[in-house]
Amino acid sequence: MNVNQSVPPVPPFGQPQPVYPGYHQSSYGGQPGPTVPPVPYGAYNGPVSSYQQTPPQGVSRAPPSSGVPPASTAQTAYTQFGQGDVQNGPSSSVQMQRLPGSQPFGSPLVPAVSQPAVLQSYGPPPTSAQVTAQLAGMQISGAVAPASPPSGLGYGPPTSLASASGSFPNSGLYGSYPQGQAPPLGQGHPGVHPPQRSAVPLASSFTPPASGGPRMPSMTGPPLPGQGFGGPPVSQPNHVSSPPPQALPPGAQMTGPPGPPPPMQSPPQPGYQLQQNGSFGPARGPQPSYGSPYPGAPTFGSQPGPPQPLPPKRLDPDAIPSPIQVIEDDRNNRGSEPFVTGVRGQVPPLVTTNFLVKDQGNASPRYIRCTSYNIPCTSDMAKQAQVPLAAVIKPLARLPPEEASPYVVDHGESGPLRCNRCKAYMCPFMQFVEGGRRFQCCFCSCVNDVPPHYFQHLDHTGKRVDAYDRPELSLGSYEFLATVDYCKNNKFPSPPAFIFMIDVSYNAIRTGLVRLLCEELKSLLDFLPREGGAEESAVRVGFVTYNKVLHFYNVKSSLAQPQMMVVSDVADVFVPLLDGFLVNVSESRAVITSLLDQIPEMFADTRETETVFAPVIQAGMEALKAAECAGKLFLFHTSLPIAEAPGKLKNRDDRKLINTDKEKTLFQPQTGTYQTLAKECVAQGCCVDLFLFPNQYVDVATLSVVPQLTGGSVYKYACFQVENDQERFLRDLRRDVQKIVGFDSVMRVRTSTGIRAVDFFGAFYMSNTTDVELAGLDEDKTVTVEFKHDDRLNEESGALLQCALLYTSCAGQRRLRIHNLALNCCTQLADLYRNCETDTLINYMAKFAYRGVLSSPVKTVRDALITQCAQILACYRKNCASPSSAGQLILPECMKLLPVYLNCVLKSDVLQPGAEVTTDDRAYVRQLVTTMDVAETNVFFYPRLLPLTKSPIESTAEPPAVRASEERLSNGDIYLLENGLNLFLWVGASVQQGVVQSLFSVASFSQITSGLSVLPVLDNPLSKKVRGLIDSLRAQRSRYMKLIVVKQEDKLEMLFKHFLVEDKSLSGGASYVDFLCHMHKEIRQLLS
């Protein structure tokens, strides 16, 4: 069955059915329709005799088992009616088919006990015109979908309600209502239609399941004036489309005060779906035998029936916010137009959307993304909302070819123009005054003189007449050439150097790593990074090999053969040669090639298994110091450094520490040696990239300290085998050597008065509280900065950020790169919640949590994340959402994916490891996430799952993704799953033979090799399409993703299922549905 197709409902009760979902038969004042009983129910305060004898209807759906959902699941009868369908006559015996997307909402109804009806007195039912008038003034928080039938007015048979069993996180259920109670559902009149859909999304809401609730049919009728038909929902920015119209929505919130609200002037605001919500008449008191589900709230139940246990209910996964839908809608709405940065405080398109950026005064979102583009004016407001104010900055981000790199501005010997007081650099927000002779700083308000050479007249608007000729006055991002004052020791830097340091111990030789690496370096040295149009790279290179001792090589161009010099005193390393160690590749080509040919032969028979590590880094740093240049060390290392030397480590791996207070020690370095060494490296501008090839524990937490503090990278290839892993290693190495790097960098973030940068996350070193020092900063690295209030902000002037990065380019040029961003400020919490970016928020929260595990127990870190998320959402519910029953979960429109994404962070290997995750894996992922940008954390925590046989073969576009859950897998299909580090091809057991033949060149499913890492190159459209798609996915990511073919029901499938993040994880992580219910419980506790 295709899980994405709707199953047509069986026509119940012999009633004519609409041909298309959402187009209902008319009968509500107009054309004739199905006959309606003249008196469908008694007077409001009379007995409800007409419906008392109805037998029970429908069955509730049990929680789905894993695997593909059945084609039809029996479902509550009422869920089959689109809003406005009427049910005539007694219940038919036909059971309804479940529609994907329908909400298992109603419970089985039980026969009434003869007991007087307890109903409040109401006035006569409103006329059609009155209902229309009331609805016209109604505010909808949520995109409109069909209304769920109003419950609890006593028009249906009485219901008995049992509690859902279980508790978070282990049960798949929602266990927060006591026995015999239902969550309050909305209350309203039958036959009422939702008002018209409208433009600005603000909130999504739905009601989590309880163990059931009374259900009733609503009257059939055409749409009310101004309503429009309920066909496919209109796509909205960053917004989930509603389920199909026959489906019962999970209770979207209809906001607006109780009682008929006044007509509205402003356009109503769409959000998730619509539920009649206590908007008509007074609230009813508690009914007999129903306690109040939460303190002080009225319950909306009908007459009590005998208690009868029911199968537990589960939220329908189709009825809760879908990441896939939000991503798809944003692509459709914002992918076609360029994003113009001229307007302050604009929220950019999502990172998953392809869009062009036009810089008109604010930095591109490729350089800076914020958690919110509208900052609270006061710290009290910020504390109340608990939304972290942070920016994820990627100063040297690579731009797509259609966008221009930042312009380089040269102000000559005088250097860039700055504010005298706060030292901010000239930018488009500076205000020129007194005819252009002075300028007022936009960061600190200090008035500065304009130097004569920079003077220019102002036009009638107060803008300089040359503003558009100067990048620093018209663009958000640009570069200044730095003067000698910005250089170390007041002298211009030399071009940087690369030193390749190769482990030649037994492990490295045995696996074939050394031979492979030396072969690759011969050609790779032609691709060292170069500036602009330079013919060759200015970067010089050097070579060192090591095991228990170090070997330096003289590769001077005048030599016939390379010379080797051994340094055996590893306790006090020195560089044995200066001249001939760092050389220009083109000059010494022959000698270098000869050396790379000889190294594998020289050590071919080695029996040395022990290695050193700290002395190797020390030696590389000393060599750069002697050459008076910055640079990068590329270290290729295989084992725990246990040889006698500084930085010697012992095996301290201990899984018994997991979930104890000592677990944090597993993430901390076991010796302080490496921190001291890293500090010296930063002072010298020596960045370290580490390639690890471990067969067992190597203590990544300690070995990665120097790369982490110097702005370097760590790559890990566990159990390296040349035939399986060479492609991944060589692609990573090529990209790492070729990418643009800024050396010997210092970054500072300045802000306008009212906020300041207080916390920093990433791979860098800080010797004071303001300067981020990076021995190297490449195009993939981000620095995340958190801001706090230190004064009140002003709505009119907004808030400004300026990130200034001082660095040495690959050609040895000293430069300043400047990025500016202006944000709005607000006095209303609703404005804050309307301008947040969930992907950036998750990036910040993950980094905050991953740093937290260094000092706190993992459980404390997890609980703090859940609490913060609950506080953010509870504050929205309390201050921005309209009053509604607490049984509803209402989420801000731009944060509706916060629960699903946060659950993915909580279930990640760092915070909740499975039994197969090693200590080294956790330390590796922890430091990797620290420097990820928003696009990388987005796909890392919520992987992309792409069905391959659904889209037409000739289509070159990426197939639309499906949600990361086992329920979405069809065993007749093939799926690609990627998370930026891993790439899986999952093959269903009943996939067509032709597909297997076209992709794998074997006759049947059973002949496919499980764990295959390369697809055969076959000349057919499907093979070309799949291989092309894999190549395009790899091109989007900063690390090469090795392919793993996984067959359904194979042992490798457990590894694959670990990435289906909407499901329960083996390590105890909650499913998305469970977590959403748990979040709701937390929010309700905070509100009560």
Side-chain angles (χ1 to χ4, degrees), residues 125-173:
T127 63
S128 160
Q130 284 170 330
V131 171
T132 312
Q134 285 175 324
L135 281 165
M138 202 36 93
Q139 248 192 333
I140 303 296
S141 147
V144 175
S148 57
S151 65
L153 285 178
Y155 311 129
T159 334
S160 87
L161 302 157
S163 73
S165 63
S167 63
F168 176 90
N170 304 318
S171 77
L173 315 161

Side-chain angles (χ1 to χ4, degrees), residues 344-345 374-377 429 431 442 752-753 792-800 822-827:
R344 181 177 85 187
N374 207 329
I375 302 183
C377 279
F429 312 126
Q431 197 66 46
C442 51
S752 55
T753 313
R792 194 185 167 86
L793 290 164
N794 181 337
E795 264 187 295
E796 280 160 36
S797 52
L800 303 174
L823 303 173
N824 285 331
C825 297
C826 58
T827 51

